[in-house]
Amino acid sequence: MTNKKLRILGTRGVPAAHGGFETFAEHLAVYLQEQGWQVTVYCQACSGNAISEDTWRGIRRVHVPVTVQGAISTVLFDWKSTWHACRESGLVLTLGYNTAVFGLIYRLTGTRNIINMDGIEWRRQKWPAWARFWLWLNDWLGCFIGNHLIADHPEIKALLSGRVSPNKIAMIPYGADCIKMHAPEPYGLRRETYAVVIARAEPENLILDMVRAWSRKTRKLTLVVLGDYQLGLPYQLAVKAAASDEVLFTGAIYDKEIVQALRVNALFYLHGHTVGGTNPSLVEALGAGNAIVAHDNKFNRWVAGDAALYFSDEDGCAAIIDTLLTDDKQLAKLKSQALRRHQEAFTWEKILAEYQALFEQWI
């Protein structure tokens, strides 16, 4: 029997159908399975009463039913998954610190738990005060409860190093596929006739600023905005109200091929994220060879480097849009630098090999 056993917790499961952590978990699980590891991924089920199991691409999936809705469903799923995982052998990888306190069970049972500390979730404006306190508390607890920590960005490692020894922290960023083909054209959008925004509709992602910047004047091009916009949510209503007729809201899209097509065919990509470490959407833009317009902060600057032009406010964003719509040479330069930056730091081969090397130190 191999001692290369890993259990992955903290995502909704595989195959990926939601966010960045699910995509990462899928890539990591498949990679490790091909390297001879026995991999288990805990998956959240919406129905049923009992925990069940199956196999997907050689990966063991443990389906944990949670029938309640809202934030409490994630907490309950994490609790059930942790209780199940602590009774088995092997290494645990926990993706995210949102319920890091549950890791005390691993300490009591002698289970080695590596935590990917994700970004600075408790700073997000969408959370009410009590949720921000819960996240902040678990951010701190995770540093001490986990056997080892993973930071996905140098600035996140620097933050965590103020709490625990830097030797306890590995800095491994997020990865992305390289997309070079000219994919089909979803929604009838011809190649390079639009720019694209791919982000959750939350204030800290500055979607309102970017939509206003685009809508200041007639562009004769389309701004395509992906994401779930619901009636009754003030920020999302404000974004839609600010949009000109040249802004297309597609809704949330979970079809990987459609999202990749929208990326690779875009004239450029706008990225307004202000909170967090290595953002998956920004890395995926690099892998797609997108020219990038990004908010100017230390997180985005390390990831994109010279593959982006940076704005600090709505006026700055509008000025960059004006420039790129008339400067083909600048666009071509940014696209080339995006692919170079991706190959330099964010290929899946590099990222997954670094994870495996870390795991081998702990089994």
Side-chain angles (χ1 to χ4, degrees):
M1 294 292 290
T2 179
N3 63 345
K4 293 184 176 182
K5 296 180 180 179
L6 179 73
R7 289 154 289 168
I8 301 175
L9 290 82
T11 78
R12 296 185 185 181
V14 295
H18 293 91
F21 261 157
E22 281 75 23
T23 300
F24 165 69
E26 178 178 330
H27 279 280
L28 180 64
V30 171
Y31 173 84
L32 291 177
Q33 192 275 334
E34 291 173 349
Q35 301 298 315
W37 287 70
Q38 293 181 7
V39 183
T40 297
V41 178
Y42 283 79
C43 307
Q44 186 170 345
C46 298
S47 60
N49 297 312
I51 292 176
S52 62
E53 298 183 14
D54 65 8
T55 301
W56 175 79
R57 296 187 63 175
I59 298 156
R60 176 187 175 222
R61 299 192 300 180
V62 177
H63 300 276
V64 179
V66 178
T67 56
V68 298
Q69 302 295 318
I72 191 64
S73 66
T74 300
V75 175
L76 186 57
F77 168 62
D78 288 348
W79 169 252
K80 289 183 175 182
S81 299
T82 301
W83 187 247
H84 186 280
C86 76
R87 291 175 286 177
E88 300 192 349
S89 62
L91 188 65
V92 167
L93 172 66
T94 302
L95 298 176
Y97 60 76
N98 294 1
T99 53
V101 65
F102 297 161
L104 287 170
I105 297 175
Y106 296 136
R107 284 291 188 176
L108 293 173
T109 58
T111 302
R112 293 177 174 180
N113 177 29
I114 296 175
I115 305 177
N116 183 313
M117 294 296 288
D118 198 13
I120 312 174
E121 186 71 15
W122 51 269
R123 286 187 184 172
R124 296 189 185 277
Q125 299 176 40
K126 68 176 182 178
W127 300 117
W130 67 267
R132 295 180 73 177
F133 174 74
W134 169 262
L135 293 169
W136 173 84
L137 180 63
N138 278 275
D139 187 7
W140 274 85
L141 289 174
C143 291
F144 302 98
I145 292 174
N147 295 94
H148 201 79
L149 310 177
I150 296 172
D152 70 4
H153 192 286
E155 292 294 335
I156 298 296
K157 180 172 182 178
L159 174 67
L160 299 177
S161 296
R163 307 171 189 173
V164 296
S165 168
N167 295 329
K168 188 179 180 178
I169 309 163
M171 200 294 289
I172 309 176
Y174 192 81
D177 293 316
C178 181
I179 311 168
K180 293 184 178 180
M181 75 288 192
H182 289 190
E185 299 173 337
Y187 302 97
L189 294 162
R190 290 181 294 109
R191 181 171 173 79
E192 297 189 344
T193 62
Y194 64 93
V196 66
V197 175
I198 303 175
R200 291 188 178 95
E202 298 167 358
E204 61 268 17
N205 293 339
L206 301 186
I207 297 172
L208 180 57
D209 299 69
M210 295 186 293
V211 167
R212 282 176 173 167
W214 184 273
S215 301
R216 284 186 174 192
K217 62 177 71 172
T218 299
R219 303 290 184 183
K220 295 184 180 180
L221 294 170
T222 302
L223 178 64
V224 180
V225 181
L226 278 68
D228 186 18
Y229 287 76
Q230 300 176 12
L231 296 175
L233 297 178
Y235 183 79
Q236 297 179 14
L237 289 173
V239 172
K240 300 198 84 170
S244 71
D245 292 340
E246 294 181 315
V247 179
L248 171 65
F249 293 92
T250 66
I253 302 174
Y254 298 115
D255 186 310
K256 180 179 178 181
E257 291 187 3
I258 292 177
V259 175
Q260 286 184 338
L262 287 171
R263 281 194 186 283
V264 78
N265 289 331
L267 189 64
F268 54 87
Y269 165 72
L270 291 100
H271 185 80
H273 292 66
T274 61
V275 177
T278 297
N279 182 268
S281 187
L282 184 54
V283 175
E284 288 162 8
L286 294 173
N290 288 139
I292 296 168
V293 180
H295 180 260
D296 191 0
N297 61 67
K298 56 192 176 183
F299 301 110
N300 295 339
R301 276 195 174 272
W302 180 82
V303 175
D306 60 7
L309 299 180
Y310 297 93
F311 67 91
S312 298
D313 53 24
E314 181 185 323
D315 291 340
C317 183
I320 293 174
I321 292 171
D322 291 344
T323 298
L324 289 182
L325 292 181
T326 59
D327 192 341
D328 292 341
K329 187 181 243 184
Q330 177 81 297
L331 278 170
K333 180 181 177 182
L334 290 171
K335 290 180 179 184
S336 175
Q337 289 170 168
L339 290 172
R340 178 184 54 77
R341 178 61 177 148
H342 172 261
Q343 288 298 308
E344 175 184 276
F346 301 111
T347 64
W348 280 124
E349 292 81 4
K350 178 179 184 296
I351 302 305
L352 300 178
E354 290 181 13
Y355 266 88
Q356 178 174 224
L358 175 63
F359 296 155
E360 288 175 345
Q361 297 175 25
W362 283 92
I363 57 175

